[in-house]
Amino acid sequence: MIEPARLAELVATATGILDDAVAPFIAGHQADAAVRKKGNDFATEIDLAIERQVVAALTSATGIGVHGEEFGGEPIDSELVWVLDPIDGTFNYAAGSPMAAILLGLLWRGTPVAGLTWLPFMGQRYVATLGGPVRDGDSVLPALAPTTLADSIVGIQTFNIDSKGRFPGRWRNAVLSSLTRECSRVRMHGATGLDLAYVGAGILGGAISFGHHIWDHAAGVALVRAAGGIVTDLAGEPWTVESKSALAAAPGVHERMLEIVKSVGVPEEYL
């Protein structure tokens, strides 16, 4: 495992680099779409600019390659690699919503060992290394205590009821419906990394991601695990960089959410 002192040094360096990205992030709020991607997804010029800025700074200062959402880069299976999402919640960001973040994770042989999630419009800066604790700026946050789903706020990804694929919209809707029978506080923030960070911070009791992109998950998985939370895929297997979904939650909440997900049947039944 990477030495704790070395890990702390890398995170301190990355913290300064993300702080330097906050000004352009805030200045570019409500930026127009610049690059169309698969489906109706897009990137703004700010996505591209921040990724270039952070990648150059991290590579120069740490000597470790970066895998970014917009330009790719260092292979994920490298022994050490930074994983960057320059703007998590791009639709929110372009529309003027404050629910957007900068995500940066550090993988060591495929395991998230550090996570940094900056929410510039909220003034929140979550950072943690393997073993915890999670910090918000200079404040040390408490470890996650066992709680119940009924007492929790839960985040879930947005979806189209008519979508097909690995997790059809009808199956996702069944999961959502079943969750609401026990938890009346389900939220769709439209930013996976933000949801995961809020689980690690104890704001959300749990969160579901139907996605598989490593840049959406690396930082948040590190934060949740550092806080004492549990992260698996939707089948209940421990989350890895190969996982096609994620279920992150506090102790107690995770077990119950997983039971509910399994109770609706397999996704193939909803095609």
Side-chain angles (χ1 to χ4, degrees):
M1 183 60 70
I2 183 172
E3 294 181 358
R6 170 66 169 152
L7 185 56
E9 177 186 352
L10 291 171
V11 168
T13 299
T15 294
I17 290 170
L18 291 196
D19 284 345
D20 289 342
V22 167
F25 186 100
I26 292 175
H29 206 199
Q30 295 183 277
D32 293 331
V35 177
R36 290 287 170 182
K37 301 196 286 189
K38 185 177 179 181
N40 65 347
D41 198 7
F42 63 87
T44 70
E45 288 289 359
I46 310 303
D47 287 89
L48 308 180
I50 289 177
E51 182 159 322
R52 291 188 187 101
Q53 175 181 327
V54 173
V55 167
L58 281 172
T59 304
S60 174
T62 70
I64 297 170
V66 184
H67 185 94
E69 176 180 4
E70 307 305 336
F71 299 113
E74 192 76 6
I76 290 301
D77 60 2
S78 302
E79 180 168 85
L80 270 175
V81 58
W82 296 104
V83 180
L84 172 68
D85 186 345
I87 301 179
D88 177 50
T90 301
F91 278 90
N92 293 347
Y93 183 83
S97 166
M99 306 299 282
I102 306 172
L103 313 179
L104 182 65
L106 181 63
L107 301 182
W108 179 80
R109 297 183 179 177
T111 298
V113 294
L116 300 90
T117 297
W118 265 224
L119 284 73
F121 300 115
M122 308 293 189
Q124 294 165 320
R125 299 158 68 247
Y126 297 116
V127 60
T129 57
L130 199 63
V134 176
R135 297 176 181 271
D136 177 5
D138 295 328
S139 301
V140 177
L141 303 183
L144 299 179
T147 187
T148 67
L149 177 59
D151 291 328
S152 299
I153 303 173
V154 170
I156 191 168
Q157 274 188 328
T158 56
F159 61 90
N160 180 334
I161 190 70
D162 294 322
S163 65
K164 304 299 181 184
R166 184 178 291 109
F167 301 111
R170 291 177 57 243
W171 183 81
R172 301 183 192 198
N173 190 56
V175 170
L176 174 60
S177 296
S178 296
L179 280 172
T180 63
R181 292 189 173 95
E182 193 162 328
C183 174
S184 59
R185 303 175 184 89
V186 180
R187 304 288 186 263
M188 289 186 177
H189 296 125
T192 300
L194 181 150
D195 278 351
L196 295 177
Y198 276 0
V199 173
I203 296 171
L204 298 181
I208 287 177
S209 167
F210 301 112
H212 65 278
H213 295 305
I214 184 63
W215 50 80
D216 286 331
H217 297 88
V221 169
L223 290 170
V224 174
R225 288 177 173 170
I230 303 162
V231 191
T232 66
D233 63 17
L234 291 176
E237 296 298 319
W239 185 94
T240 72
V241 295
E242 303 297 329
S243 296
K244 306 303 181 185
S245 59
L247 171 52
V253 179
H254 185 277
E255 295 89 331
R256 183 60 187 135
M257 287 181 67
L258 186 58
E259 289 174 355
I260 290 172
V261 169
K262 290 183 174 181
S263 74
V264 305
V266 298
E268 292 78 10
E269 295 175 349
Y270 290 80
L271 288 170

